[in-house]
Amino acid sequence: MGNFLELEGGYLVIASFALLITLFVTTRPFFTKIAIRNGMLGMGLFWAIAIGFHFKVTTDRMEGVKSAFAKGETVICESRMQRKVAQFVEIDKSREWFLEEDLFTSPNYSRPFHTARCLVK
C-alpha cells in the first residue's frame, strides 16, 4: 500500500479535486437530484480505472527495469538535477550502481534514482 501511495499520491490528489468539482457542479439547482449520483459514480469510476491502470503499467515497468539490471543490462534514468546538460543517467552494475529496494544508488553519484523513473536501454 505504501508503494501505491508513493507512486500514485499526486494522481489521487488530482482525482479528489476533480470529484470535489463534480460534486459542486452537480449540486447546482439546474441539475436533477440523480445528476449527483451519476456524476460522482462516473467520475469516480473513471479515476479509479485510470489510476489503477497507471499503477499497473508503472509497476510492470519497474519489474522490467529491476530484472534487466540484475542481468547486467544498462538502465536509463531521468536526471532532474541538471536539466540542460545531462537529462538522463545511464546506470550499469559495472559503474558501481546498486539496487536497494526500488532505488538505484552509487557511491559516485550524489542522489538515488527511483526505478519508476527508469527505462531499459
Side-chain angles (χ1 to χ4, degrees):
M1 186 65 172
N3 201 16
F4 179 77
L5 292 176
E6 178 183 356
L7 295 173
E8 305 300 323
Y11 297 115
L12 291 172
V13 171
I14 293 169
S16 300
F17 185 68
L19 287 172
L20 285 173
I21 291 172
T22 303
L23 182 64
F24 177 76
V25 170
T26 56
T27 55
R28 299 300 93 203
F30 50 86
F31 275 102
T32 62
K33 297 288 183 194
I34 201 164
I36 298 170
R37 186 189 67 182
N38 289 344
M40 294 300 285
L41 184 65
M43 286 295 286
L45 188 62
F46 167 77
W47 282 106
I49 291 170
I51 290 172
F53 180 73
H54 184 265
F55 181 70
K56 173 75 171 128
V57 168
T58 302
T59 53
D60 288 348
R61 186 179 67 243
M62 287 170 60
E63 291 304 318
V65 165
K66 288 178 189 178
S67 65
F69 181 75
K71 294 176 188 173
E73 296 179 35
T74 303
V75 174
I76 299 173
C77 291
E78 175 187 19
S79 176
R80 295 183 178 175
M81 198 161 75
Q82 298 175 357
R83 291 301 243 179
K84 295 189 180 177
V85 179
Q87 293 182 347
F88 65 91
V89 174
E90 290 188 1
I91 294 175
D92 196 345
K93 281 186 177 182
S94 64
R95 297 181 185 152
E96 298 181 17
W97 284 94
F98 305 99
L99 182 60
E100 298 172 358
E101 293 185 22
D102 289 333
L103 296 176
F104 288 114
T105 58
S106 172
N108 302 325
Y109 207 78
S110 61
R111 60 180 294 250
F113 292 94
H114 199 283
T115 55
R117 305 291 171 247
C118 300
L119 298 170
V120 179
K121 183 172 183 182

